[in-house]
Amino acid sequence: MADDTQGATTPQPATAPSMNLVGQYIRDLSFENPGAPATLLSGGGNPAFNVSISVGVKKQNDEIYAVELTLNAKANREETVLFNVELVYGGIFRLKNVPENQLSPLLMIECPRLIFPFARQVLASVTQQGGFPPLMMEPVDFSAIYRQNLAKLAAQQGGAGAATPADGETLN
């Protein structure tokens, strides 16, 4: 005889933690193609790329947080700048009933992980529309970045206790 409760979902208590992505936005987008059209016409070797990423969090109210990724990408061929792009891409998250000790990792790891693919697509589209092949960033391990920055923060504080990023702090 089959169990009647199999596959049924149990009701969630009203105090269960939840996270919702309310919206996404581009706060800043800058694309510079200083040598155009000459850099597009001249061939040459493969360009050198320098890409950096940072995460910032700003509390909007008791439940709403804005998480922003800042992506900077620069391509050079020898001494010539081919392009320079800066993107600040954000997500608005509603967090309810999240324990304080889980708040920072959620905001600095999981939230950026959710919005990164969209920011990556904007970056690829902009570089392609600038006349270059689309710049496709590799997936980012936000957990590793978070751990590195916690270690750096702890070292700056002299190793006194466990360090957590303050509200509004940016981690690179």
Side-chain angles (χ1 to χ4, degrees), residues 31-44 77 80-83 129-132:
F31 181 82
E32 299 172 20
N33 191 353
T39 53
L40 298 173
L41 297 173
S42 66
R77 184 175 291 129
T80 305
V81 174
L82 299 177
F83 68 79
Q129 291 176 15
F132 300 95

Side-chain angles (χ1 to χ4, degrees), residues 97-162:
N97 304 316
V98 175
E100 190 67 34
N101 65 338
Q102 295 176 6
L103 191 59
S104 183
L106 188 63
L107 289 168
M108 300 303 290
I109 299 170
E110 292 305 316
C111 293
R113 186 183 60 77
L114 289 173
I115 62 174
F116 175 75
F118 302 98
R120 175 182 140 158
Q121 182 58 46
V122 170
L123 192 65
S125 178
V126 166
T127 54
Q128 186 174 32
Q129 291 176 15
F132 300 95
L135 176 60
M136 297 301 294
M137 288 183 65
E138 295 290 326
V140 175
D141 184 354
F142 289 101
S143 180
I145 293 171
Y146 180 72
R147 287 190 308 270
Q148 288 171 352
N149 285 300
L150 282 181
K152 200 183 313 179
L153 189 60
Q156 289 173 353
Q157 294 176 351

